[in-house]
Amino acid sequence: MVGQNGLKLAVHLITAHLGDLVAKVCSCLLHRGALSLQEVVRFTKLSISQAKNCLLVLIQHNCVQAFSVLLPGSTTKTMTQYIALFDNILHRMRFPKFLMVVKYDLGHEGEVLLEGLLQNGRLTFDQLVERTLSKTTEASASIREEMRANFNNLVHSHYVERCPKPEPFVGPDSEDQSTFARKRRAKTVPILSLEQQVMVAATLSNGERFSEISNGGKMTVDTVVADHHVATFSGEKRKFEALEMDQELQSAITENEVLWRANYEKFIQCLKKKACVLNVRSRLGLDASTILEAMIETIDQENVENKNTVFASMGSIIERVREKPGGISMTLEHVRTILVDQLLCHSSTEDTNTWYTIDLNDIIENSQNEEVETFIRARYGLEAYRIFRLLIKCGHPVETEQIVEITFIEKKNAQEILYKLWKDEYLEMEKVVMHGSGQTQLFLWKLNKRVLREHIIDDMYHASLNLSQKISQIAQQQREVSPHGDKKYQRVKYILQSSLYKLDDALMLFQFL
Amino acid sequence: MVLCIAEGAKAMVPQKRPRLGSKSGAALVPDEGLSDAERMILEAIRSKENMGIWTFDLKKLTNLPRGVFDKALRLLQQKGLIKCVVSIHNKSRKMYVAREFEPAKEISGGTWYSQGSLNQEFISDVRSKCLAQVTRLRIATIEDVWKGIQMSRDSKADFTLQQIKEIVQAMVLDKELEEVKSTGDGDFSAVPAGRPCYRRFERRAPIAGALSAIPCGVCPRISECTPDGVISPNTCIYFTKWLELDF
Ligand code: SF4
């Protein structure tokens, strides 16, 4: 569940990027969940055409997904609904980072193409070519060829994907399943939110998603066929008009040509891995981070998505390490020592080759803990930090006396700290009454990792929102007072921007573990 | 003057182990020549063994007139038959324990307390001893640290393994030491694989917490701060200070 601050941040981003009207529709969907066009009109009090246009803009920028569901009480007739994609909205503040990833991997050419897609949300390859041609005087044929190769590189590396189905059908929770079957499924498969269900239904198969463009601009697979049931018309005039309106909107979004967009998932994976390397660098030094980076690259080569366990042979690690700055001077023994003693990799031997395994989730979890701990230390002091670390480590409720004993903190101070942390909802407390010779009241304290994570994420959303709001205010002041740029404003904007970037790096590690 | 235990130099040395319920010890204490009031008070204190008794409760229990009670209590202390302990639960409470008993941990706080408060000087001394052992060995199990301290010449005190464990665990919480499981390889070769051991916590660069680095991360008013509220980023004084906004 996204907290209020997350929703406010999402609306702020849409307002800043796409304007007030679009933000109004987006806010309505974010707060109320999936809605039909008529409902959007009713809640926002916009005209039909305004609401429709706003939805189109949001769909174009991958912030909203349309889907169809059965009309209540019907087994065949469907209606279109729209749902806001919260994560995609937030990714908008990460675009500069996405561009850096591609620039580092595929150079300026890849960056320019991706920039076109990020700015426009969704484009056909033809539109991308046109966009570039309008800015250059070079011969179009040679540019087109070059662009196709670069574009295919982007697709091959999974940085760009074909857009999902425009309006997938999302069925009701299968009623045909027995309670027993549903219970069994619930145990093994996590229950998906509606947003997740829609995303799953809209996603194309991997083959389709990343099929490159063959010569002549034709796709290697057929164009998308929307997996949706066309409504059959009957009955009342009002219903007929409603459906006609949706069809009109839908025909606008269901393009015949193949639309492409940035694959956010891939970028998040890349940024997550980069964050792991950075964390290791600041903790263990440059050599350890170079070796980890080399390990990660060995699996990236195979284009393994969402793989958090890295498994690499010494041979391939050494090969990659040697290609890196400073890597040539590292001896085999040095690399081995770092893998075992510092990165704490598990090793196994297979056919004379030694394999090393590292779980990136451990590094991410470590980064998360460090972030929370420094936050607690800065806000509540060193003793609170010690208590906090104890409760993270324990994972079960701990009684006040025990906390005092283990942490070497005076009881009165410990009680005050625990109360403050509990009041601010970072800890959970349980009162236990013991009946012995007399009646004693014991207080047990526990850190619920899930609740804590949600709380920290919400704090981060709030802080990001505040930084963004301040950036907008400074930009506004600059426009009014010094339209030609003033170093003072530049400095302040730089501090705010870089703090926001760093905060978002931390946020990503919490959001997408 | 009331004589309290664990004063001065005594505080630097771990206390004697409590002789729980050692009734036989009581018989060794010569209590001939005591007045009736003194004997009554001493018996009441002895009956509480190592848990001691608070002056107020003692007065109630013996039911002696105030002047007699005060005098007898003072004399018992002067003769060294009872000792006064400051309770960790309430520093203004004087608790009395018979000489032959070591005050219980629940009252005195145990090894790491002196006069009802944590003995910070003593604790940090033991912490440096532990750190020195881990630094010397690079990777050490808790037993290694303990043995190292016991064998070192500068160590006059006699620590139990448990006491060293308590200190080392607090050092792990403070990230002075790090607890790791031995891989049985490389630096860990001296420790069997899977055994927990300790090494110095080292970090090349300080942790740069993103949230704690900005005013909102440490702001006490964050829950009241809203985009258009009375407290808002647009009017925030913490931001003004942080960004040195003088324009
Ligand atoms: S903007 Fe100012 S008042 Fe609001 S949370 Fe941040 S520091 Fe606190």
Side-chain angles (χ1 to χ4, degrees), chain A residues 151-340:
Chain A
F151 187 80
N152 276 341
N153 275 343
L154 281 169
V155 180
H156 179 74
S157 312
H158 292 194
Y159 290 124
V160 164
E161 62 175 352
R162 275 172 42 168
C163 287
K165 295 169 196 166
E167 194 186 331
F169 174 73
V170 176
D173 226 12
S174 314
E175 274 144 25
D176 51 351
Q177 284 186 52
S178 65
T179 326
F180 175 69
R182 254 184 284 143
K183 267 191 192 157
R184 262 186 50 175
R185 194 194 51 171
K187 267 191 191 157
T188 47
V189 184
I191 300 159
L192 298 181
S193 64
L194 179 62
E195 187 181 330
Q196 287 166 325
Q197 284 180 47
V198 173
M199 294 279 274
V200 169
T203 306
L204 304 172
S205 70
N206 258 13
E208 276 181 292
R209 255 174 106 182
F210 304 113
S211 58
E212 296 162 29
I213 310 172
S214 64
N215 242 357
K218 293 276 179 288
M219 304 305 135
T220 47
V221 289
D222 294 336
T223 48
V224 186
V225 179
D227 175 23
H228 97 274
H229 298 205
V230 179
T232 27
F233 297 113
S234 68
E236 310 131 54
K237 187 167 173 273
R238 195 181 56 79
K239 264 192 193 161
F240 177 81
E241 276 172 1
L243 288 166
E244 186 188 41
M245 210 155 56
D246 274 356
Q247 280 220 319
E248 203 184 306
L249 183 60
Q250 185 220 312
S251 67
I253 59 173
T254 314
E255 296 260 352
N256 238 357
E257 296 241 23
V258 175
L259 284 168
W260 299 89
R261 68 172 190 177
N263 175 16
Y264 298 154
E265 230 176 278
K266 169 76 181 180
F267 287 108
I268 295 297
Q269 280 297 320
C270 292
L271 291 171
K272 224 162 74 169
K273 285 172 188 162
K274 201 176 130 218
C276 288
V277 173
L278 283 178
N279 177 273
V280 164
R281 182 175 306 165
S282 63
R283 233 167 6 107
L284 307 170
L286 191 61
D287 284 3
S289 69
T290 306
I291 293 168
L292 177 68
E293 202 175 8
M295 275 184 93
I296 290 174
E297 281 171 11
T298 60
I299 60 159
D300 276 352
Q301 247 179 345
E302 295 150 31
N303 231 336
V304 188
E305 296 283 342
N306 204 5
K307 188 144 187 186
N308 282 330
T309 304
V310 183
F311 182 64
S313 70
M314 181 54 120
S316 56
I317 297 172
I318 280 286
E319 200 186 309
R320 287 262 159 191
V321 165
R322 298 265 151 87
E323 289 167 9
K324 301 203 167 290
I328 201 86
S329 60
M330 282 194 226
T331 62
L332 195 80
E333 191 45 36
H334 183 59
V335 173
R336 206 187 70 83
T337 309
I338 287 182
L339 283 167
V340 176

Side-chain angles (χ1 to χ4, degrees), chain B residues 74-87:
Chain B
R74 198 176 59 241
L75 283 171
L76 281 172
Q77 277 185 77
Q78 277 171 2
K79 289 175 188 168
L81 294 174
I82 58 167
K83 49 199 171 186
C84 169
V85 185
V86 179
S87 159

Side-chain angles (χ1 to χ4, degrees), chain A residues 462 466, chain B residues 215-217 219-222 225-226 231-233 236-239:
Chain A
H462 197 166
N466 288 351
Chain B
C216 305
C219 178
R221 316 296 295 271
I222 189 158
C225 180
T226 51
I231 299 175
S232 109
C236 171
I237 49 159
Y238 303 113
F239 265 5

Side-chain angles (χ1 to χ4, degrees), chain A residues 45-61:
Chain A
K45 304 210 165 36
L46 294 175
S47 70
I48 290 178
S49 68
Q50 275 176 325
K52 215 190 305 184
N53 281 337
C54 290
L55 282 172
L56 280 173
V57 170
L58 287 164
I59 291 168
Q60 171 72 22
H61 286 279

Side-chain angles (χ1 to χ4, degrees), chain A residues 461-471, chain B residues 216 222 225 227 233 239:
Chain A
Y461 285 148
H462 197 166
S464 303
L465 174 67
N466 288 351
L467 288 172
S468 310
Q469 195 182 336
K470 197 73 193 169
I471 292 171
Chain B
C216 305
I222 189 158
C225 180
F239 265 5

Side-chain angles (χ1 to χ4, degrees), chain A residues 365-393 421 426 447 449 452 456 460 510, chain B residues 172-175 201 203 207-212 218:
Chain A
E365 207 177 320
N366 186 58
S367 309
Q368 286 185 352
N369 286 345
E370 283 184 347
E371 178 67 41
V372 182
E373 286 163 13
T374 27
F375 162 70
I376 294 288
R377 189 174 179 154
R379 191 144 154 195
Y380 300 94
L382 178 64
E383 293 188 329
Y385 162 81
R386 209 182 287 162
I387 293 181
F388 204 78
R389 276 185 44 83
L390 168 70
L391 293 176
I392 285 191
K393 204 174 153 203
L421 288 171
Y426 292 103
L447 203 143
K449 278 198 177 175
L452 173 73
I456 292 284
M460 286 179 167
F510 279 87
Chain B
V172 171
L173 291 181
D174 280 354
K175 287 201 171 171
F201 183 88
R203 215 180 188 290
I207 304 169
L211 197 54
S212 50
V218 287

